[in-house]
Amino acid sequence: MSNRNEISGELYTLRDYLRWAISEFGRAGLFFGHGTDNAYDEARVLVLHSLNLPLDIDPALLDARLTLAEREAVLLLIKRRVDERVPAAYLTHEAWFAGLSFYVDERVLVPRSPIAELIAQDFEPWLGGMQPRRILDLCSGSGCIGIACAYQFHEARVDLVDISLDALNVADINIARHELADRVSAVQSDVFDLLADQKYDLIVSNPPYVDAEDLAAMPAEYQREPALGLASGPDGLDITRRILRDAADYLSEDGVLIVEVGNSCVALDDAFPTVPFMWLEFEHGGHGVFVMSREQLIENAESFS
């Protein structure tokens, strides 16, 4: 990156800095996938955040001149994104999921699950019109899935469960941020181990599911995320196997399990060839999410054990 003093002496408007950031991202070969998928959107997030401006600003403001202090702030954030390969969400401490804003930092993965689409659809037709009274967000990280579910199902109580105390501290920030402490709780547990005799109408999980080969080949931006939230054994299924084995014991009679395994969907089908996994399709992109009822889990219990 060129000398910051030289750049701040040549670029003056918000539009100038957006264009310059896009060029810098291209030259650096950055990888996008933590809330944006292209250099323009990434630059927009970072530049506007630096200036305390909303993403939906009036286009006329793009030609407004920045003060020297503002130019320095923009340059500093863009430099970190390029030099350190830090995802934009960690630099701004904000990520959007299911239309909601969440606090994030390096203690949790950046929210990006296609499960947001299922939440918007009330998990239909899989819940069959049921309004879940108790919901479990298993391997919750920032708590984005469970909190979004609490917004969608206004009467539901939601548990955010994770093994990581660091992640649960972030989840607590988000519970407070959305003023949901009366219905949403953060609970430490290694999968189901410390949940005693709890029963849930809906268990939703985006567990660690990256296999060892994919983990080693991930771009630098993904290496910034906590490995505990990504890695799950040689085939990416260590945690998913535990969920399948035990979930029926924690579901109500008509309860439903929904799990995201991403690219490990092929490995899951190979691991359990006799199990008829229902793989969901998404209008807005995403794959590797299956749904299974409590009855189906019991029917296939021998395979999962």
Side-chain angles (χ1 to χ4, degrees), residues 68-266:
L68 179 58
E70 288 175 329
R71 283 178 266 161
E72 286 294 321
V74 172
L75 289 171
L76 181 61
L77 207 60
I78 298 303
K79 178 177 174 57
R80 287 199 62 199
R81 179 67 182 93
V82 170
D83 292 349
E84 301 174 31
R85 295 298 200 272
V86 182
Y90 289 158
L91 294 171
T92 64
H93 294 305
E94 182 178 45
W96 288 83
F97 179 81
L100 302 169
S101 171
F102 291 91
Y103 173 87
V104 295
D105 61 28
E106 289 85 348
R107 293 174 289 179
V108 296
L109 301 186
V110 177
R112 51 184 177 272
S113 173
I115 289 173
E117 188 173 318
L118 302 181
I119 297 172
Q121 298 167 352
D122 292 339
F123 295 99
E124 292 297 339
W126 319 114
L127 289 184
M130 174 180 64
Q131 290 291 303
R133 304 292 295 185
R134 296 206 64 202
I135 299 172
L136 170 60
D137 176 2
L138 190 60
C139 306
S140 62
S142 66
C144 61
I145 289 176
I147 289 173
C149 286
Y151 272 93
Q152 198 72 13
F153 301 103
H154 297 154
E155 302 301 318
R157 297 192 64 85
V158 181
D159 286 342
L160 312 178
V161 170
D162 205 289
I163 190 175
S164 167
L165 276 176
D166 282 342
L168 292 174
N169 287 335
V170 174
D172 278 329
I173 293 172
N174 285 314
I175 292 170
R177 182 173 188 158
H178 292 278
E179 300 181 343
L180 287 168
D182 59 328
R183 292 195 294 122
V184 181
S185 302
V187 181
Q188 186 182 29
S189 177
D190 185 358
V191 192
F192 297 108
D193 286 357
L194 299 180
L195 296 187
D197 299 321
Q198 302 295 323
K199 296 286 185 181
Y200 299 94
D201 301 313
L202 175 64
I203 298 176
V204 187
S205 185
N206 179 14
Y209 59 70
V210 180
D211 64 48
E213 183 178 351
D214 282 352
L215 189 68
M218 279 186 163
E221 283 82 355
Y222 286 99
Q223 303 293 342
R224 285 285 181 175
E225 295 187 291
L228 186 63
L230 294 168
S232 192
D235 62 358
L237 298 177
D238 283 4
I239 303 299
T240 302
R241 285 186 174 89
R242 294 177 60 189
I243 293 172
L244 289 169
R245 183 190 67 202
D246 297 332
D249 294 335
Y250 297 88
L251 283 168
S252 60
E253 184 175 349
D254 297 318
V256 173
L257 170 71
I258 293 176
V259 181
E260 178 179 349
V261 296
N263 291 338
S264 293
C265 59
V266 176

Side-chain angles (χ1 to χ4, degrees), residues 11-112:
L11 305 177
Y12 297 97
T13 69
L14 203 160
R15 191 186 303 275
D16 288 340
Y17 282 90
L18 282 172
R19 197 284 308 156
W20 173 79
I22 293 167
S23 297
E24 288 297 307
F25 293 167
R27 276 191 284 271
L30 299 190
F31 187 89
F32 309 107
H34 294 88
T36 69
D37 60 8
N38 61 83
Y40 173 77
D41 287 339
E42 189 93 347
R44 189 177 179 86
V45 166
L46 291 174
V47 172
L48 294 178
H49 172 81
S50 302
L51 302 171
N52 296 308
L53 291 172
L55 292 175
D56 59 349
I57 63 165
D58 185 333
L61 290 178
L62 292 177
D63 294 311
R65 291 171 65 95
L66 308 184
T67 67
L68 179 58
E70 288 175 329
R71 283 178 266 161
E72 286 294 321
V74 172
L75 289 171
L76 181 61
L77 207 60
I78 298 303
K79 178 177 174 57
R80 287 199 62 199
R81 179 67 182 93
V82 170
D83 292 349
E84 301 174 31
R85 295 298 200 272
V86 182
Y90 289 158
L91 294 171
T92 64
H93 294 305
E94 182 178 45
W96 288 83
F97 179 81
L100 302 169
S101 171
F102 291 91
Y103 173 87
V104 295
D105 61 28
E106 289 85 348
R107 293 174 289 179
V108 296
L109 301 186
V110 177
R112 51 184 177 272

Side-chain angles (χ1 to χ4, degrees), residues 268-277 292 296 299-304:
L268 190 63
D269 277 333
D270 290 344
F272 301 105
T274 64
V275 177
F277 289 102
M292 191 165 283
Q296 290 170 323
E299 289 174 354
N300 293 281
E302 185 175 343
S303 296
F304 298 145

